[in-house]
Amino acid sequence: MSPPVAPPGWSRWLVPPAALSVHLSIGQAYAWSVFKPPLESALGLSGTQSALPFQLGIVMLGLSAAFGGTLVERNGPRWAMTVALLCFSSGFLLSALGASLEQYWLIVLGYGFVGGIGLGIGYISPVSTLIKWFPDRPGMATGIAIMGFGGGALIASPWSAQMLESFGSDSSGIALAFLVHGLSYAVFMLLGVLLVRVPRTEKPVESGPSVLAGPQVSARQAIRTPQFWLLWIVLCMNVTAGIGILEKAAPMITDFFADTSTPVSVTAAAGFVALLSAANMAGRIGWSSTSDLIGRKNIYRVYLGVGAVMYALIALFGDSSKPLFVLCALVILSFYGGGFATVPAYLKDLFGTYQVGAIHGRLLTAWSTAGVLGPLIVNWIADRQEEAGRHGASLYGLSFVIMIGLLVVGFVANELVRPVDPRHHVPAPKEAAHVERQQSGSA
């Protein structure tokens, strides 16, 4: 199922809303914590068990993006968005059945496995098309879409909480909330399926660059280049540093100021988490757009270099100044979001648009790795420090030193990135034939 080619005069600015309809929907994943307490109470689950559907969903996101990326490139964004719609919505419907029958394994299967496939395919579905429509501003274009994934929870969290309050937090209420989610997201994502278009020509912007300008590398060849693995390290280190704060934000700020004359209340800690989510979302569009002006390597120098400085400031002075702690954390989370949104444009600069969606999918395995690594570092060390009798800010000192080291590793990897050797490039006639075949199949 290939998308129709855009007719003459069709505005490329209709593509970002199509992408947003998918990313805002699958961004619900960041609001899973709303369902944790009701599930634990209704089904008698532990905290670890109630987190499993989300954890499996993130693992499947990385795996389906990696293994499905080539199919996304081959079949086009409309096919990918349709698959994402079917899997993500079906995952909620299976979860609704599981909650209704009080069968926990159905919720894990539905939300985690089936819905996780929808997360991965949906996440990469618009990337290649956006870059082809906006060869002059790829960072801004991908930032708009990926901003939706970061902001999806801002909609889903209060909406889910309101439904649970209205329907009840027992198994039948949870089931009804899952059902409403599945049907509502199906309708919303359908807007993207119907709206998405591919450009008619290689130059969708008058007097702009061709989408085939520069080197073009296949996904198969890309993973054989040092540039791919250097970027894998860059993304993994940046995400690990960001998620290290994001995953433990509320208890972290509470611990930091627990021994001071102005401790942080539960309400204030929740407000801090909301601020971090806003910084995460703003960074996705703000920093990725900035990368169009100063270049991708330079913006990652900022993410990694300044990020290390922010961590050092928190480690040294964070417990003596709340404004400093909050400001540094907000900057780090803006870099976390910006790194996600900028990496597709960085891939485009290095490997071209030929199979950039498939290459992006393979690179997202760095996210899956960081999603385990970041929380593991912070939580494991905090637990060990607590067992040793330490408390307050001292629980996190060693973690922050490790995060600084990881960011330095990422900084060095970014410095080592060079243009791809021409021996990996796809011959120009093959590129043109690929584009012509894709567009003729869409007509």
Side-chain angles (χ1 to χ4, degrees):
M1 180 193 297
S2 295
V5 175
W10 198 80
S11 173
R12 63 178 180 163
W13 291 101
L14 293 173
V15 179
L20 266 176
S21 73
V22 173
H23 272 244
L24 280 171
S25 299
I26 63 176
Q28 184 280 336
Y30 278 150
W32 173 255
S33 60
V34 174
F35 289 103
K36 279 172 60 67
L39 282 170
E40 291 167 18
S41 176
L43 302 183
L45 305 177
S46 66
T48 301
Q49 288 174 319
S50 67
L52 183 58
F54 170 78
Q55 291 173 320
L56 180 58
I58 296 300
V59 170
M60 292 307 301
L61 186 158
L63 293 177
S64 60
F67 291 104
T70 303
L71 289 174
V72 171
E73 286 292 329
R74 183 183 304 148
N75 297 321
R78 174 167 286 183
W79 174 87
M81 289 180 178
T82 301
V83 171
L85 183 161
L86 293 173
C87 290
F88 190 65
S89 296
S90 296
F92 268 114
L93 298 182
L94 277 172
S95 298
L97 180 61
S100 178
L101 299 176
E102 299 187 0
Q103 295 294 316
Y104 166 66
W105 69 273
L106 268 176
I107 299 176
V108 176
L109 174 66
Y111 191 93
F113 185 79
V114 179
I117 294 173
L119 287 177
I121 300 298
Y123 191 88
I124 64 173
S125 63
V127 168
S128 177
T129 302
L130 282 166
I131 288 176
K132 289 171 183 174
W133 272 111
F134 292 87
D136 52 333
R137 286 183 279 184
M140 180 214 66
T142 55
I144 290 174
I146 293 175
M147 175 186 68
F149 191 84
L154 295 180
I155 298 171
S157 291
W159 183 40
S160 301
Q162 182 59 50
M163 276 195 285
L164 289 171
E165 185 177 333
S166 301
F167 302 150
S169 56
D170 58 359
S171 59
S172 60
I174 296 170
L176 189 53
F178 282 154
L179 177 64
V180 173
H181 273 75
L183 297 178
S184 299
Y185 282 132
V187 173
F188 195 58
M189 293 172 77
L190 183 62
L191 297 176
V193 173
L194 298 176
L195 193 59
V196 71
R197 299 286 190 280
V198 295
R200 176 173 292 274
T201 68
E202 289 182 19
K203 297 183 70 173
V205 186
E206 189 174 349
S207 301
S210 166
V211 299
L212 293 178
Q216 304 293 325
V217 182
S218 69
R220 181 186 294 271
Q221 282 297 316
I223 61 173
R224 299 175 180 175
T225 66
Q227 287 82 356
F228 175 88
W229 294 107
L230 288 170
L231 272 192
W232 194 98
I233 293 171
V234 166
L235 183 63
C236 186
M237 298 301 100
N238 190 60
V239 173
T240 300
I243 209 168
I245 285 184
L246 184 62
E247 190 269 341
K248 203 174 175 65
M252 183 181 291
I253 193 171
T254 302
D255 290 337
F256 253 78
F257 298 98
D259 299 330
T260 68
S261 59
T262 55
V264 176
S265 67
V266 174
T267 302
F272 174 61
V273 174
L275 280 176
L276 292 182
S277 296
N280 176 13
M281 185 172 64
R284 292 175 187 243
I285 180 62
W287 291 121
S288 60
S289 297
T290 303
S291 76
D292 289 332
L293 302 176
I294 68 173
R296 251 59 76 174
K297 178 174 277 194
N298 285 334
I299 201 68
Y300 271 97
R301 285 169 173 152
V302 173
Y303 297 157
L304 300 160
V306 178
V309 172
M310 294 296 104
Y311 258 115
L313 288 174
I314 294 178
L316 294 173
F317 310 110
D319 59 344
S320 61
S321 172
K322 282 182 187 175
L324 177 66
F325 180 94
V326 171
L327 177 63
C328 291
L330 290 176
V331 172
I332 291 171
L333 262 293
S334 75
F335 292 161
Y336 168 82
F340 278 122
T342 308
V343 81
Y346 207 162
L347 292 172
K348 176 260 181 188
D349 293 346
L350 290 170
F351 302 109
T353 60
Y354 176 55
Q355 289 188 335
V356 68
I359 299 170
H360 183 219
R362 286 159 172 77
L363 194 75
L364 288 181
T365 53
W367 181 5
S368 297
T369 302
V372 174
L373 189 61
L376 180 64
I377 291 171
V378 174
N379 288 294
W380 186 85
I381 290 177
D383 289 343
R384 300 291 81 74
Q385 298 285 35
E386 191 171 10
E387 289 173 2
R390 296 184 176 88
H391 52 83
S394 61
L395 296 175
Y396 303 99
L398 180 58
S399 299
F400 289 174
V401 170
I402 293 174
M403 293 301 178
I404 293 169
L406 293 177
L407 286 168
V408 171
V409 170
F411 189 93
V412 172
N414 183 54
E415 292 301 306
L416 294 176
V417 173
R418 298 289 186 272
V420 176
D421 191 293
R423 65 191 174 90
H424 295 291
H425 295 180
V426 175
K430 186 174 180 179
E431 301 164 14
H434 169 79
V435 173
E436 184 178 347
R437 186 166 58 250
Q438 190 179 49
Q439 293 180 346
S440 63
S442 305

